[in-house]
Amino acid sequence: MDHGPRVEERGAGGEPPPLLRDDVPAGDASPVLPLLRAQAEQWRGVPYRLGGNDRRGVDCSAFVQITFQSQLGVNVPRTTDELAREGQRVGRDELQAGDLVFFKTGFRQRHVGIYMGGDRFLHASTSRGVMTSSLNNVYWRRHYWKARRLDLDELPTAVSLSDESR
């Protein structure tokens, strides 16, 4: 569970600064990125609910599980603790779209999101629901713990990475 900032970074006119907006290319040519952007658009604003796993409310680890299953056809564990043991550890300076980013937000509290490139990650925030945030935000930078990369090289053929209908 996170207790992230209540106010997301904003520029003039209330818009996120250009380098933080989701529609600005992150320089990451990953085929996973369009799928993550589609998920962000479909779920944006869905409220946070501890233990929730649908559009009425979702917690951070359920959102990761739903995203990996629905967008990538990959089954991942349900809890943040289990997710934190999956895949390979990756340095913050080596992050790629689709990597899981983890935060220690309290004594025994952990939070997870999905890296999208450009120092942005997609997550279910306790304060604002499903949204993207910057890893460079003071709160997230201070609570950053680690990142893990899951093996996405062999996505099921049922998942089309170029499907424009998403």
Side-chain angles (χ1 to χ4, degrees), residues 12-114:
E15 288 296 313
L19 293 177
L20 299 180
R21 292 195 338 238
D22 294 337
D23 59 344
V24 174
D28 185 348
S30 169
V32 172
L33 189 55
L35 301 173
L36 295 177
R37 286 184 173 156
Q39 187 77 343
E41 200 56 40
Q42 293 167 14
W43 282 74
R44 187 173 315 285
V46 169
Y48 179 90
R49 190 179 85 211
L50 183 61
N53 63 0
D54 58 35
R55 290 180 191 273
R56 292 174 299 176
V58 66
D59 66 25
C60 64
S61 58
F63 181 69
V64 166
Q65 184 183 50
I66 290 165
T67 300
F68 271 75
Q69 177 59 52
S70 68
Q71 294 294 334
L72 306 175
V74 175
N75 291 317
V76 298
R78 168 64 177 85
T79 69
T80 302
D81 285 341
E82 291 172 318
L83 287 167
R85 293 189 294 267
E86 290 289 305
Q88 302 294 319
R89 192 166 192 141
V90 61
R92 191 174 186 280
D93 59 339
E94 301 171 318
L95 287 171
Q96 297 175 5
D99 288 345
L100 299 179
V101 288
F102 296 90
F103 306 86
K104 289 184 178 182
T105 56
F107 178 67
R108 300 188 107 179
Q109 296 168 325
R110 304 293 182 258
H111 184 67
V112 62
I114 306 168

Side-chain angles (χ1 to χ4, degrees), residues 7 15 23 55 62 77 86 127 149 155 162:
V7 178
E15 288 296 313
D23 59 344
R55 290 180 191 273
E86 290 289 305
S127 61
R149 179 167 300 146
L155 294 174
S162 62

